[in-house]
């Protein structure tokens, strides 16, 4: 008997231990959740590669020459024309392209501005990812609140249905009351299933974003009390989206300067050496200098200047549009926080009152003072108000954190 008892206890402990591990799991703060999502974000990896590439281009632009050296060589003799007089020539040379005046520094400026732009794009991606994490966590918590309200509703309707069934068996209530109570319980069960589906979908979305499931707590996060209303202009200036478009304008201006400095193809200069033998003469060696200077051409320069002008115009247009978009978004964030603050207070009061009303109506129904449909509707209204209160509480937290994110703070 003891071996079976020990085996049963072992199986029971094995079954309970994962549940304890899940329930005792430490909740992540919102800041830690954003860091977890940032560590596996694929866009961050791509932008970091682009940032390193831009810095490498800036370093390469510090070279003494505008490109790599060019090797040239020639060999000639008189065998190809049927003569064998001994005329043979070996010629070789090496040349390098030169920077045009100011072209090297302009190339470094373009690469440096692009590097700074990508660095600001990293900040933009971090902000976008933080907002995505906030929305995902909020969706999960709203789904959990919906499931909790559905469970409460099902528990209440099930209790009422059991009471009605017992009363019908005793002949105290009509069969129609039993059907009404059963319908209310089945509707609550359907809402329970739909709420469970929504929560499972929210859990899957959070796992895809964070890499694993984790309980995220942004209710008691540090920094929430520091959300305050500041000047929208200051918030706009600190927004990374404004900074990145400004960096893009700087990069386009540097590219325009580079286009002006590249008014002609790069000239080349180098050294040639000739080693030849003529009929009746000793070997003859000569060394000289070669140079190549392509002249400017409108056919080449016009497309380069046009492309640089288009890039600058596009960057200026995007900067203006970004200022408008960010200004409008910050205004909406501020208004949303104001509205969420009021809705949080009103829905909390409404949920408390409707909860008390549902309990009173159920007691009144039990003593025969009100009809069954009145008690069921009161319980439905109370659960709806409870869900609305929980939703507005979460929305207020979201609006508060969204305000902090607009200020450049990740709580």
């Amino acid at each position: 008997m003891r071996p079976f008892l020990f085996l049963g206890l072992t199986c029971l402990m094995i079954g309970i231990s994962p549940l304890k591990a899940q329930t005792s799991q430490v909740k992540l703060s919102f800041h830690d959740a954003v860091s977890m999502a940032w560590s596996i974000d694929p866009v961050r990896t791509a932008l970091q590669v682009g940032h390193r590439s831009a810095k490498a281009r800036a370093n390469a632009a510090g070279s003494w020459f505008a490109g790599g050296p060019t090797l040239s060589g020639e060999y000639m003799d008189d065998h190809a024309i049927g003569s064998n007089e001994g005329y043979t020539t070996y010629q070789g040379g090496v040349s390098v392209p030169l920077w045009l005046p100011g072209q090297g520094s302009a190339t470094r400026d373009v690469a440096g501005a692009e590097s700074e732009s990508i660095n600001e794009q990293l900040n933009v991606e971090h902000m976008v990812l933080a907002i995505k994490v906030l929305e995902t966590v909020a969706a999960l918590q709203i789904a959990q609140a919906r499931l909790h309200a559905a469970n409460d509703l099902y528990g209440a309707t099930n209790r009422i249905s059991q009471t009605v069934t017992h009363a019908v068996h005793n002949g105290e209530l009509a069969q129609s009351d039993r059907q009404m109570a059963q319908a209310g319980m089945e509707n609550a069960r359907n809402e329970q299933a739909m709420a469970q589906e929504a929560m499972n979908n929210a859990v899957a979305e959070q796992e895809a974003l964070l890499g694993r499931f984790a309980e995220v707590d942004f209710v008691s996060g540090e920094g929430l009390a520091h959300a305050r209303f500041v000047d929208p202009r200051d918030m706009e200036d600190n927004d990374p989206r404004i900074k990145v478009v400004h960096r893009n304008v700087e990069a386009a201006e540097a590219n325009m300067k580079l286009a002006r400095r590249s008014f002609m193809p790069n000239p080349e200069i180098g050294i040639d050496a000739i080693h030849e033998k003529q009929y009746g003469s000793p070997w003859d060696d000569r060394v000289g200098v070669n140079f190549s200077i392509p002249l400017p051409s409108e056919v080449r320069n016009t497309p380069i200047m046009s492309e640089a002008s288009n890039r600058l115009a596009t960057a200026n247009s995007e900067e203006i549009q970004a200022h408008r978009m960010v200004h409008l978004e910050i205004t909406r964030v501020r208004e949303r926080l104001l509205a969420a603050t009021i809705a949080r207070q009103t829905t909390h009061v409404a949920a408390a009152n409707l909860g008390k009303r549902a309990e009173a109506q159920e007691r009144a129904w039990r003593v025969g003072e009100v009809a069954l449909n009145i008690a069921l509707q009161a319980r439905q209204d109370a659960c709806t108000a409870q869900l609305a209160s929980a939703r507005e509480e979460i929305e207020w937290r979201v609006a508060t954190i969204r305000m902090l994110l607009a200020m450049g703070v990740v709580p």
Side-chain angles (χ1 to χ4, degrees), residues 32-355:
D32 293 336
V34 173
S35 300
M36 182 183 297
W38 181 247
S39 64
I40 60 174
D41 184 41
V43 179
R44 174 189 65 88
T45 303
L47 290 175
Q48 286 178 340
V49 172
H51 184 256
R52 289 193 294 267
S53 299
K55 292 183 66 175
R57 291 196 302 271
N59 294 332
S63 174
W64 288 3
F65 304 105
T70 301
L71 298 177
S72 62
E74 294 180 4
Y75 167 78
M76 293 178 289
D77 60 23
D78 57 355
H79 295 89
I81 58 177
S83 173
N84 192 14
E85 299 296 332
Y87 290 95
T88 306
T89 301
Y90 301 89
Q91 182 174 346
V94 58
S95 60
V96 291
L98 302 177
W99 292 109
L100 294 172
Q103 189 181 41
S105 60
T107 303
R108 289 193 299 271
D109 292 342
V110 171
E114 291 177 350
S115 176
E116 293 297 329
S117 175
I118 296 176
N119 190 42
E120 293 297 338
Q121 290 178 27
L122 283 168
N123 296 331
V124 172
E125 176 61 20
H126 189 271
M127 179 181 180
V128 171
L129 185 64
I131 296 175
K132 188 181 299 183
V133 171
L134 178 63
E135 293 174 350
T136 303
V137 173
L140 177 57
Q141 295 197 3
I142 290 176
Q144 290 173 343
R146 179 184 177 185
L147 181 60
H148 180 70
N151 291 336
D152 290 346
L153 178 61
Y154 178 76
T157 55
N158 184 40
R159 182 178 63 253
I160 294 176
S161 178
Q162 291 177 359
T163 303
V164 170
T165 301
H166 181 72
V168 169
H169 284 313
N170 295 335
E172 300 174 357
L173 292 176
Q175 188 68 23
S176 59
D177 289 334
R178 180 182 180 183
Q179 294 171 349
M180 182 184 300
Q182 185 70 22
M185 185 183 68
E186 294 301 328
N187 289 334
R189 182 180 297 175
N190 180 59
E191 172 61 20
Q192 196 177 34
M194 295 177 63
Q196 183 66 48
E197 177 189 6
M199 194 187 74
N200 292 339
N201 291 335
V203 168
E205 185 175 356
Q206 180 175 308
E207 288 179 350
L209 189 61
L210 302 184
R212 64 178 178 86
F213 175 75
E215 288 287 342
V216 181
D217 179 23
F218 58 51
V219 175
S220 58
E222 297 181 359
L224 294 182
H226 296 88
R228 62 186 185 277
F229 299 106
V230 297
D231 185 13
R233 179 61 61 183
D234 295 335
M235 298 174 66
E236 290 179 24
D237 294 339
N238 292 327
D239 195 288
R241 290 167 295 185
I242 298 298
K243 294 181 180 180
V244 73
V245 293
H246 183 68
R247 294 294 185 182
N248 289 339
V249 171
E250 292 180 349
E253 292 175 348
N255 185 68
M256 174 64 75
K257 180 180 178 181
L258 175 61
R260 293 193 183 99
R261 299 297 184 182
S262 305
F263 58 89
M264 58 181 286
N266 296 91
E268 295 188 6
I269 187 170
I271 300 175
D272 279 347
I274 299 177
H275 184 56
E276 63 181 359
K277 178 183 178 182
Q278 299 182 9
Y279 176 74
S281 300
W283 287 92
D284 188 12
D285 297 329
R286 287 173 291 172
V287 178
V289 177
N290 69 76
F291 61 90
S292 174
I293 304 179
L295 298 179
S297 172
E298 292 296 327
V299 176
R300 171 188 173 275
N301 294 341
T302 299
I304 295 176
M305 292 299 300
S306 298
E307 182 179 357
S309 299
N310 293 338
R311 178 178 175 180
L312 181 58
T314 301
N316 288 325
S317 175
E318 291 177 351
E319 185 178 24
I320 296 174
Q321 294 177 7
H323 273 284
R324 294 176 179 176
M325 178 194 68
V326 171
H327 178 77
L328 179 60
E329 182 175 336
I330 290 176
T331 301
R332 288 176 176 174
V333 168
R334 287 164 56 90
E335 294 300 324
R336 180 69 191 114
L337 180 56
L338 288 172
T341 302
I342 299 174
R344 172 174 175 254
Q345 299 171 352
T346 56
T347 54
H348 178 73
V349 175
N353 291 330
L354 288 177

Side-chain angles (χ1 to χ4, degrees), residues 218-219 224 344 393-402:
F218 58 51
V219 175
L224 294 182
R344 172 174 175 254
E393 178 69 26
I394 296 171
E395 291 292 343
W396 177 77
R397 300 289 177 179
V398 171
T400 303
I401 295 178
R402 186 64 185 86

Side-chain angles (χ1 to χ4, degrees), residues 348-369:
H348 178 73
V349 175
N353 291 330
L354 288 177
K356 295 177 182 178
R357 176 179 179 271
E359 294 176 358
Q361 293 291 348
E362 185 174 344
R363 288 194 301 267
W365 166 75
R366 291 183 184 277
V367 297
E369 295 180 355

